[in-house]
Amino acid sequence: MATLSATASTVDGTGSRTLHANSSDSKKIVGVFYKANQYASLNPEFVGCAESALGIRDWLESKGHQYIVTDDKEGPNYELEKHIHDMHVLITTPFHPVYVTAEKIKKAKNLQLLLTAGVGSDHVDLKAAADAGITVVEISGSNAVSVAEDELMRILILVRNFLPGYRQVIDGDWNVAGIAHRAYDLEGKTVGIIGAGRIGKLLLQRLKPFNCNLLYHDRLTISPELEKETGAKFEEDLDVILPKCDIVVINTPLTEKTRGMFDKERIGKLKKGVLIVNNARAAIMDTQAVIDACSSGHIAGYSGDVWNPQPAPRDHPWRYMPNHAMTPHVSGTTINSQLRYADGVKDTLDKYFKGEEFPAQNYIVKEGKLASQYQ
């Protein structure tokens, strides 16, 4: 089995750090997770919160490692800052992200491994991490089923105009017309999947029984077998696929190429009355352009659980725009997903301690090079 160097942390001739591990070394590992408070004890499988700390504390400490866990990642005198200078590993999540800036990386002289418990490492300045020789790894695939199921739910919520009906019940009202005037069947609608990776492929399979017209856009085509199974048709040009879609689902990673991809001009190319689901990253959208299009009715409904920044401040304008079905970032942190990414983190750390290579698909930055999806 391929191994990583098994010595203490060093700096190479270019000034870049390199990833090293030695089973006899004690490492300082810092985990940053959202705090569950009264919910922490309600489910023994709720491992993704700060109180449960991925369920790996006893294992780490039995091996002689120091494990610091906090939810305090920003603001005056925040807890994480006390540990930046001497931590070897930082574990964070997309749901309560530490924005790992070039400034933090410069301070973190001992940092060897940035580990995302989940999928999506855009909260890290990847160029700065690559330049510093820091390895960035995530638990690829751990959230795929959870997010795909969530996207299907959001499509149905928007198509059936569900939320106004729910609000009527809560408010003691009864106005069928207020819901029915913009409630439709999903059958026969054209759904465009923008980004057909693990999540996009699963969503295509789940949409097949609804008899939709399925289109997809990506850098690469899916397999001929999956195209045949789902009936999905590939469109190479994003600006060609968008005007055809009644519903657009965004599944692309956030990169410099996709940041702000859906600006005012591109949103203007969408059908009037389009529905948009975005569980990818909020910064793919132009914030004000989404607000304006929802207000004018050009976007008839927008649903997702990703915000910019996260957690979203109380005055974030997406909280108050019309015809939205937004939630906090929860789609990839179901209990099942938590168990998968907790197991993945433990496996990754075990390989790190043993000096073994990580699964190839989990690398985001390796030996100073970014994975292809982030280039």
Side-chain angles (χ1 to χ4, degrees):
M1 178 176 289
T3 59
L4 305 167
S5 302
T7 61
S9 178
T10 62
V11 178
D12 67 20
T14 66
S16 293
R17 280 161 272 183
T18 52
L19 182 64
H20 298 280
N22 188 317
S23 58
S24 64
D25 292 342
S26 176
K27 298 295 184 182
K28 183 172 185 177
I29 298 154
V30 178
V32 180
F33 313 109
Y34 55 78
K35 198 156 188 174
N37 299 309
Q38 72 269 29
Y39 304 105
S41 62
L42 298 182
N43 186 339
E45 295 181 314
F46 186 9
V47 297
C49 58
E51 289 86 347
S52 297
L54 301 182
I56 59 175
R57 181 180 294 282
D58 290 346
W59 173 72
L60 285 173
E61 292 180 350
S62 72
K63 292 181 173 293
H65 303 294
Q66 185 181 10
Y67 189 31
I68 305 296
V69 174
T70 183
D71 70 316
D72 187 12
K73 62 189 180 72
E74 55 199 358
N77 301 312
Y78 61 100
E79 181 67 21
L80 174 62
E81 188 175 34
K82 301 174 186 176
H83 307 285
I84 287 177
H85 70 284
D86 64 347
M87 63 185 178
H88 298 95
V89 179
L90 174 62
I91 307 170
T92 183
T93 75
F95 322 108
H96 189 68
V98 175
Y99 291 99
V100 185
T101 61
E103 181 183 6
K104 284 189 175 74
I105 287 171
K106 189 175 181 179
K107 291 179 180 178
K109 301 297 185 183
N110 289 345
L111 184 60
Q112 300 168 341
L113 177 63
L114 281 165
L115 177 50
T116 299
V119 178
S121 297
D122 48 273
H123 54 282
V124 177
D125 186 325
L126 295 175
K127 184 179 184 304
D131 289 346
I134 295 170
T135 300
V136 183
V137 175
E138 59 187 35
I139 311 304
S140 184
S142 60
N143 68 345
V145 169
S146 307
V147 177
E149 288 185 358
D150 184 273
E151 289 175 343
L152 178 58
M153 174 191 72
R154 291 175 191 277
I155 290 170
L156 289 167
I157 283 173
L158 292 178
V159 168
R160 299 303 295 265
N161 203 24
F162 173 84
L163 283 180
Y166 173 76
R167 292 192 191 102
Q168 282 190 26
V169 171
I170 297 299
D171 295 340
D173 295 332
W174 189 282
N175 180 4
V176 174
I179 305 159
H181 77 286
R182 50 189 296 255
Y184 294 88
D185 294 340
L186 180 53
E187 185 175 51
K189 299 296 180 294
T190 297
V191 182
I193 310 296
I194 312 304
R198 290 179 180 85
I199 295 168
K201 291 184 180 75
L202 290 174
L203 181 59
L204 287 171
Q205 291 175 317
R206 283 155 175 73
L207 284 168
K208 172 62 177 174
F210 287 89
N211 297 320
C212 304
N213 303 312
L214 298 177
L215 307 176
Y216 74 97
H217 166 81
D218 205 326
R219 296 179 300 124
L220 305 171
T221 58
I222 61 177
S223 69
E225 293 78 15
L226 187 56
E227 282 192 344
K228 183 177 180 180
E229 174 192 339
T230 61
K233 296 179 181 179
F234 174 70
E235 177 51 65
E236 185 175 6
D237 191 330
L238 178 62
D239 291 326
V240 170
I241 194 175
L242 292 179
K244 300 177 181 179
C245 299
D246 302 298
I247 301 157
V248 173
V249 183
I250 299 167
N251 276 317
T252 59
L254 177 62
T255 68
E256 289 311 305
K257 292 179 180 178
T258 63
R259 186 178 298 275
M261 181 169 68
F262 280 83
D263 55 12
K264 181 178 180 180
E265 180 181 0
R266 183 155 276 141
I267 288 173
K269 295 178 181 179
L270 297 166
K271 277 186 180 181
K272 182 174 173 55
V274 69
L275 304 174
I276 297 179
V277 171
N278 177 15
N279 279 356
R281 289 295 182 265
I284 293 169
M285 316 299 292
D286 180 294
T287 299
Q288 189 59 49
V290 171
I291 297 167
D292 293 343
C294 285
S295 298
S296 70
H298 194 101
I299 296 176
Y302 184 93
S303 184
D305 71 342
V306 286
W307 304 73
N308 185 27
Q310 291 191 172
R314 288 181 178 271
D315 61 352
H316 194 293
W318 280 7
R319 291 180 184 268
Y320 310 106
M321 64 186 180
N323 302 324
H324 81 76
M326 295 294 296
T327 57
H329 194 167
V330 294
S331 64
T333 189
T334 63
I335 295 299
N336 304 89
S337 185
Q338 289 176 42
L339 294 171
R340 286 191 291 267
Y341 62 69
D343 284 344
V345 166
K346 184 177 180 181
D347 181 67
T348 300
L349 290 174
D350 190 48
K351 285 180 166 58
Y352 166 67
F353 299 142
K354 293 176 179 177
E356 298 175 357
E357 289 283 347
F358 308 131
Q361 69 270 18
N362 289 2
Y363 281 103
I364 303 303
V365 176
K366 180 182 181 182
E367 298 174 351
K369 296 180 180 179
L370 272 66
S372 59
Q373 67 266 35
Y374 282 98
Q375 292 177 359

